Amino acid sequence: MSSNDQGATRRRRGSEQVTLKQVAQAAGVSAITASRALNTPERVNETTRARVLDAVETLGYVPNLVAGSLASARSRFIAVIVPSLANAVFIEVIRGLQETFEARGYQILLGNTDYDLDREYQLVRTFLGWSCSALVTAGLRHNQACHTLLANWDKPIVEVMELGEALDINVGLDHLDAGRCMARHLRSRHYQEIVYVGARMSQDYRAEMRYAGHREILAEDGLDAPLIELDQLGSLEAGATGLDNVLAAYPRAEAIHFANDDLAAGALLHARRRGLAVPGDIAIAGFNGLPLGQHITPRLTTIQSPRDAMGRLAAREVLRKLDGEPGALQQHDVGFSLLQGEST
Amino acid sequence: MSSNDQGATRRRRGSEQVTLKQVAQAAGVSAITASRALNTPERVNETTRARVLDAVETLGYVPNLVAGSLASARSRFIAVIVPSLANAVFIEVIRGLQETFEARGYQILLGNTDYDLDREYQLVRTFLGWSCSALVTAGLRHNQACHTLLANWDKPIVEVMELGEALDINVGLDHLDAGRCMARHLRSRHYQEIVYVGARMSQDYRAEMRYAGHREILAEDGLDAPLIELDQLGSLEAGATGLDNVLAAYPRAEAIHFANDDLAAGALLHARRRGLAVPGDIAIAGFNGLPLGQHITPRLTTIQSPRDAMGRLAAREVLRKLDGEPGALQQHDVGFSLLQGEST
DNA sequence: TAGACATATGTTAGCGCTAACATGTTGGCG
DNA sequence: CGCCAACATGTTAGCGCTAACATATGTCTA
């Protein structure tokens, strides 16, 4: 008589949660068999499986995924990090990711950096702590700590939106070249005084790259490439302000190259309100190829980027890696195309 | 001599993860003290905490949140379930939620039902399995199993978008009344032949409720309320189609009440392309108050709903509950207002 | 008929962390 | 000076699940 009746098992919380053990007991099998019946059904006899599923139904069992993840050291989470939810572009990429991943039983874990790389690092730390199966982030730039952390992580990482030196998989397009493409188009229309307008460009370095491409082409012809930066997020409203600012600062401007379609469309609609002819008085171009631009009159000249395709492609590459299939290319250029409207 | 050298601890995986134990050892404290230093710093001596943080830094420790959640039976997840990511309305609600929750260290777990209640049930099961701290879902309708599951769940639940009989917290507006409001407006303009146009309305029952309100008002005046349903998701494109369909089916139509602004704006822009005067030839009204509608000419008459406010309010109420503050009202009517443009 | 092999299930030992309780240590007070 | 509270830290025992290693049982081959 000694270490026998140690006392009642102290229940930590109320915890009336139905556990796998109870399901197993009800089905007359061991816990591991119940686990297999739910997770790897092909490894369990059909009748056994039916009994387990029955018990699940009867008891109203909801698997504790936290426990499962801890035991197996993996979750079915995909971390997705974007700089903003206010921008339709990221929404469409997220949608592409979401469609593909949810169909395969993965959950999206969404983080928003607000264009702050330190915030990105925090999010990455948190997400790694959740044993995510993969991580998708917008852009190639990270702070030092974040870079180190990711470089030592052994699961698939996708950097989307732009191309360059990537950690793992890279899906995007060449923004420098996109900027050049539009600038060439504007030059081909013989515009000389061309102003570039961006919103919060110090944060949005992809817009900066497009501007760099734009400037490069104008420089080839010995032209200046004046820049106007708006201190607000891209929106129709901001585009209207942008137009006003350009006309005030550069009265002789013939064309405006906007960093994105929200701005361009806002300017275009505002031009009409002001009684300005587009492109007669001022030509307007954008970037992204949002539907809006193609529904207004005149249709917006812009650059079409395959955004949801980018998401889907990123997701497909991740799934391929997770399935252990031979990884194809690591870098995928999704390209872009000039969408010529009547606004230039 | 017996149960002594049980043998080497078999390492399950490669698992070179730095653990809290290692951090504790490096800092010369016990694991629980290290845990407290990170999670409840006020309960640990300042110098001890500094030593722990030092060790965290040195070793590159990333907390395993899965383990933490299992041990504490709670995660810092907020489940958010929406029927679609293609609709700007839900994006704005998500943004409101996200802003508020991320600032308080909660992560959004995003699910998309695609307007399928069975899919919603699956998502809810998954999310409960992650020990979410709260759940936010769009709408009051759930299937039986989902309702039961949620009704027995003991954490905050918010149903957003519409008002009615809710499980817990309810934040939204009265869609029936919104439909009435717009119909009254159109009647006040003396339109008689008014067609309602929706997209996939069998799925979007909030649009159906608005239609019901619309029909009610017209019936008061003894008028018919013809309905056209589009078999595609709401978009500018669909709105253009909607306009064409109305004109084909009801050549004498004077006004169109669209289920949302995407449709209405698409129709308005298309009307101009077809050379129709708005509202001279046909009046157009929408619902939502998206920025786009206020930037086109003529400005769209619509109903303004406070979408991101809805998200923020929902989040605030959840936080209040989680903080154990006395819950105020359970039901919050965020209201709406008629935004009169020149399109009617 | 031994053996090699596949199928179906069970036993054991953690995954990394934190709740609950226990203990030590200080300072203030009557 | 002894007592009690308030702080600071430690010990123990899981949280609910699954990986890894058994252990049956049947099935086919030489």
Side-chain angles (χ1 to χ4, degrees), chain B residues 54-76:
Chain B
D54 243 44
V56 165
E57 192 70 24
T58 313
L59 298 175
Y61 171 67
V62 176
N64 184 327
L65 300 174
V66 178
S69 291
L70 180 60
S72 66
R74 61 194 145 68
S75 72
R76 290 184 76 81

Short mmCIF file of all heavy atoms in Angstrom, two decimals, chain B residues 54-76:
data_model
loop_
_atom_site.label_atom_id
_atom_site.label_comp_id
_atom_site.label_asym_id
_atom_site.label_seq_id
_atom_site.Cartn_x
_atom_site.Cartn_y
_atom_site.Cartn_z
N ASP B 54 17.80 38.04 -23.94
CA ASP B 54 19.14 37.89 -24.51
C ASP B 54 19.33 36.52 -25.12
O ASP B 54 19.80 36.37 -26.25
CB ASP B 54 20.17 38.06 -23.39
CG ASP B 54 21.06 39.26 -23.66
OD1 ASP B 54 20.49 40.30 -24.05
OD2 ASP B 54 22.28 39.12 -23.51
N ALA B 55 18.95 35.53 -24.33
CA ALA B 55 19.10 34.14 -24.80
C ALA B 55 18.24 33.89 -26.04
O ALA B 55 18.67 33.21 -26.98
CB ALA B 55 18.71 33.18 -23.68
N VAL B 56 17.04 34.47 -26.04
CA VAL B 56 16.15 34.34 -27.20
C VAL B 56 16.86 34.85 -28.44
O VAL B 56 16.90 34.19 -29.48
CB VAL B 56 14.85 35.13 -26.97
CG1 VAL B 56 14.09 35.30 -28.28
CG2 VAL B 56 13.99 34.44 -25.93
N GLU B 57 17.42 36.03 -28.29
CA GLU B 57 18.13 36.68 -29.39
C GLU B 57 19.30 35.81 -29.87
O GLU B 57 19.43 35.50 -31.05
CB GLU B 57 18.64 38.03 -28.87
CG GLU B 57 19.14 38.95 -29.95
CD GLU B 57 17.99 39.47 -30.79
OE1 GLU B 57 16.83 39.51 -30.30
OE2 GLU B 57 18.25 39.83 -31.95
N THR B 58 20.12 35.42 -28.92
CA THR B 58 21.32 34.66 -29.25
C THR B 58 21.01 33.35 -29.96
O THR B 58 21.64 32.98 -30.95
CB THR B 58 22.10 34.32 -27.96
OG1 THR B 58 22.19 35.50 -27.18
CG2 THR B 58 23.49 33.79 -28.28
N LEU B 59 20.04 32.65 -29.42
CA LEU B 59 19.73 31.33 -29.98
C LEU B 59 18.80 31.40 -31.19
O LEU B 59 18.60 30.40 -31.88
CB LEU B 59 19.09 30.45 -28.90
CG LEU B 59 19.96 30.16 -27.68
CD1 LEU B 59 19.17 29.39 -26.63
CD2 LEU B 59 21.19 29.38 -28.09
N GLY B 60 18.23 32.56 -31.44
CA GLY B 60 17.29 32.67 -32.54
C GLY B 60 16.01 31.89 -32.27
O GLY B 60 15.46 31.25 -33.16
N TYR B 61 15.57 31.96 -31.05
CA TYR B 61 14.38 31.21 -30.65
C TYR B 61 13.12 31.76 -31.29
O TYR B 61 12.88 32.96 -31.26
CB TYR B 61 14.24 31.25 -29.13
CG TYR B 61 12.94 30.69 -28.61
CD1 TYR B 61 12.65 29.33 -28.74
CD2 TYR B 61 12.02 31.51 -27.97
CE1 TYR B 61 11.45 28.82 -28.25
CE2 TYR B 61 10.84 31.00 -27.47
CZ TYR B 61 10.55 29.67 -27.61
OH TYR B 61 9.38 29.17 -27.12
N VAL B 62 12.32 30.89 -31.87
CA VAL B 62 11.00 31.26 -32.37
C VAL B 62 9.98 30.42 -31.62
O VAL B 62 9.99 29.19 -31.72
CB VAL B 62 10.88 30.99 -33.89
CG1 VAL B 62 9.47 31.28 -34.37
CG2 VAL B 62 11.87 31.82 -34.66
N PRO B 63 9.13 31.06 -30.84
CA PRO B 63 8.20 30.29 -30.00
C PRO B 63 7.34 29.34 -30.83
O PRO B 63 6.88 29.71 -31.90
CB PRO B 63 7.31 31.37 -29.37
CG PRO B 63 8.07 32.64 -29.49
CD PRO B 63 8.94 32.50 -30.70
N ASN B 64 7.13 28.17 -30.33
CA ASN B 64 6.23 27.23 -30.98
C ASN B 64 4.80 27.50 -30.47
O ASN B 64 4.41 27.06 -29.40
CB ASN B 64 6.66 25.80 -30.66
CG ASN B 64 5.80 24.80 -31.39
OD1 ASN B 64 4.63 25.03 -31.61
ND2 ASN B 64 6.40 23.69 -31.77
N LEU B 65 4.08 28.21 -31.29
CA LEU B 65 2.75 28.64 -30.87
C LEU B 65 1.76 27.49 -30.82
O LEU B 65 0.77 27.54 -30.09
CB LEU B 65 2.25 29.71 -31.83
CG LEU B 65 3.14 30.95 -31.90
CD1 LEU B 65 2.67 31.91 -32.98
CD2 LEU B 65 3.18 31.66 -30.56
N VAL B 66 2.05 26.47 -31.60
CA VAL B 66 1.17 25.30 -31.58
C VAL B 66 1.20 24.66 -30.19
O VAL B 66 0.16 24.38 -29.59
CB VAL B 66 1.59 24.29 -32.66
CG1 VAL B 66 0.70 23.07 -32.61
CG2 VAL B 66 1.54 24.93 -34.04
N ALA B 67 2.41 24.47 -29.69
CA ALA B 67 2.54 23.87 -28.37
C ALA B 67 1.90 24.76 -27.31
O ALA B 67 1.20 24.27 -26.41
CB ALA B 67 4.01 23.64 -28.05
N GLY B 68 2.15 26.05 -27.43
CA GLY B 68 1.57 26.97 -26.46
C GLY B 68 0.05 26.90 -26.46
O GLY B 68 -0.58 26.89 -25.40
N SER B 69 -0.51 26.83 -27.63
CA SER B 69 -1.97 26.78 -27.72
C SER B 69 -2.52 25.50 -27.14
O SER B 69 -3.57 25.50 -26.50
CB SER B 69 -2.41 26.88 -29.18
OG SER B 69 -2.15 28.15 -29.66
N LEU B 70 -1.82 24.43 -27.38
CA LEU B 70 -2.31 23.16 -26.85
C LEU B 70 -2.30 23.20 -25.33
O LEU B 70 -3.28 22.82 -24.67
CB LEU B 70 -1.44 22.00 -27.35
CG LEU B 70 -1.86 20.63 -26.84
CD1 LEU B 70 -3.29 20.31 -27.25
CD2 LEU B 70 -0.92 19.55 -27.33
N ALA B 71 -1.22 23.68 -24.79
CA ALA B 71 -1.10 23.71 -23.34
C ALA B 71 -2.11 24.66 -22.70
O ALA B 71 -2.65 24.38 -21.63
CB ALA B 71 0.32 24.10 -22.94
N SER B 72 -2.35 25.75 -23.35
CA SER B 72 -3.23 26.75 -22.72
C SER B 72 -4.66 26.65 -23.23
O SER B 72 -5.53 27.39 -22.76
CB SER B 72 -2.69 28.15 -22.98
OG SER B 72 -2.78 28.44 -24.35
N ALA B 73 -4.89 25.79 -24.20
CA ALA B 73 -6.22 25.60 -24.77
C ALA B 73 -6.79 26.86 -25.38
O ALA B 73 -8.00 27.07 -25.39
CB ALA B 73 -7.19 25.04 -23.74
N ARG B 74 -5.93 27.73 -25.82
CA ARG B 74 -6.44 28.85 -26.61
C ARG B 74 -5.37 29.37 -27.56
O ARG B 74 -4.18 29.33 -27.28
CB ARG B 74 -6.93 29.98 -25.71
CG ARG B 74 -5.90 30.57 -24.83
CD ARG B 74 -6.52 31.43 -23.73
NE ARG B 74 -5.75 31.31 -22.52
CZ ARG B 74 -4.52 31.76 -22.34
NH1 ARG B 74 -3.92 32.38 -23.32
NH2 ARG B 74 -3.89 31.61 -21.20
N SER B 75 -5.82 29.82 -28.69
CA SER B 75 -4.90 30.39 -29.65
C SER B 75 -5.25 31.86 -29.77
O SER B 75 -6.23 32.30 -29.22
CB SER B 75 -5.09 29.74 -31.02
OG SER B 75 -6.30 30.18 -31.60
N ARG B 76 -4.44 32.58 -30.49
CA ARG B 76 -4.80 33.98 -30.73
C ARG B 76 -5.32 34.12 -32.16
O ARG B 76 -4.98 35.06 -32.87
CB ARG B 76 -3.61 34.90 -30.45
CG ARG B 76 -3.30 34.99 -28.96
CD ARG B 76 -2.20 35.96 -28.64
NE ARG B 76 -2.61 37.35 -28.71
CZ ARG B 76 -3.25 38.01 -27.74
NH1 ARG B 76 -3.57 37.39 -26.62
NH2 ARG B 76 -3.58 39.26 -27.89
#
